[in-house]
Amino acid sequence: MWHRVERSSGKLSRCFRLFENAKTNQVKASMENGILIITVPKMEVKKPDVKTIQISKKKKNHWFND
């Protein structure tokens, strides 16, 4: 969460970059008691699939005496 305080009279504009996975078509803004709240939802990042590999116990090698 970001918090920014600016005091100014007259017109004020602010530009900022959004993160790469921002849902720009779902940005919402509201102002209450002089506080501007901007909500930018993020797209879910797909996590890579996790695969389980069964590892069997290695059989004794006949070349070596154990």
Side-chain angles (χ1 to χ4, degrees):
M1 177 178 274
W2 293 353
H3 178 82
R4 185 171 191 88
V5 177
E6 293 184 9
R7 295 170 196 229
S8 176
S9 61
K11 215 174 199 183
L12 176 70
S13 70
R14 170 69 56 196
C15 296
F16 55 93
R17 293 182 184 180
L18 296 176
F19 36 90
E20 194 173 302
N21 60 341
K23 292 182 179 180
T24 55
N25 59 341
Q26 295 180 9
V27 174
K28 295 180 181 177
S30 63
M31 184 172 286
E32 191 173 320
N33 296 327
I35 298 173
L36 175 63
I37 299 171
I38 302 172
T39 305
V40 184
K42 292 183 185 179
M43 287 186 268
E44 289 185 31
V45 178
K46 184 179 178 188
K47 296 180 181 179
D49 293 336
V50 177
K51 295 182 181 180
T52 303
I53 300 172
Q54 190 68 22
I55 301 173
S56 60
K57 187 176 178 182
K58 187 176 179 182
K59 293 180 182 179
K60 289 186 179 181
N61 189 336
H62 70 278
W63 293 101
F64 299 102
N65 293 328
D66 289 340

